[in-house]
Every structure is written in C-alpha cells, then in structure tokens.
C-alpha cells in the first residue's frame, strides 16, 4: 500500500469541519492520492490529469420530494465518467 505522509494528519480531526482538509482535496493530485489509497489499496489507478472538478450541489427525489445535497468536494473521473 502506498503511504501518504499527510493522510493521517488530515483524518485526525474526524467529525470536525476542517477547512484545510477541504482546500487540500480540491487539488487533483491530492484527491487522486486519497482515492487510490482508500479505494484501490494504494494502486495508482486514478491519475490527477483524469480528474475534473464537479458541481458540489446535486438534486435528488426521494419519497416524492425534491432534496438538495451539498458535497465538500466532488470530482469526475473522466476516463470512466464516474463521479467520485
């Protein structure tokens, strides 16, 4: 597994809003590292140049009502057209 020296520091304050964390995750290289470590066991499947910033707000319908969902950071993995 790849080791990211900044990753443990980011997640020390779990549950506490951390502006620095959100700012870091906006960078494609940082976001790709996080996704690769957490989802792909450190394998470098997601590359920073394959990511595109997505809208943070989405709408969805549940129980017959329209709801809005706001994300801290959302990216599109262009090669697979997947929202992460």
């Amino acid at each position: 597994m790849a080791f990211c020296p900044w990753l443990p520091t980011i997640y020390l304050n779990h549950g506490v809003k951390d502006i620095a964390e959100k700012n870091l995750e906006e960078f494609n290289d940082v976001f790709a590292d996080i996704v690769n470590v957490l989802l792909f066991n450190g394998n470098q499947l997601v590359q920073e140049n394959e990511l595109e910033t997505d809208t943070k707000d989405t709408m969805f319908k549940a129980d017959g009502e329209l709801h809005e969902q706001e994300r801290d950071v959302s990216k599109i993995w262009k090669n697979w057209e997947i929202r992460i």
Side-chain angles (χ1 to χ4, degrees), residues 20-65:
E21 174 186 336
K22 291 178 183 99
N23 289 339
L24 275 174
E25 290 172 352
E26 290 287 342
F27 293 102
N28 286 348
D29 60 335
V30 174
F31 192 88
D33 282 346
I34 292 170
V35 170
N36 286 326
V37 168
L38 296 179
L39 299 182
F40 301 116
N41 201 31
N43 296 315
Q44 300 299 306
L45 298 180
V46 178
Q47 303 297 320
E48 66 179 289
N49 62 334
E50 299 173 347
L51 294 171
E52 182 177 290
T53 300
D54 190 21
T55 59
K56 293 182 181 181
D57 299 324
T58 56
M59 303 292 283
F60 67 96
K61 190 173 185 178
D63 301 323
E65 294 183 25

Side-chain angles (χ1 to χ4, degrees), residues 58-77:
T58 56
M59 303 292 283
F60 67 96
K61 190 173 185 178
D63 301 323
E65 294 183 25
L66 197 58
H67 301 273
E68 184 177 9
Q69 181 178 18
E70 183 178 334
R71 295 178 173 84
D72 291 335
V73 177
S74 181
K75 303 274 185 181
I76 300 283
W77 189 7

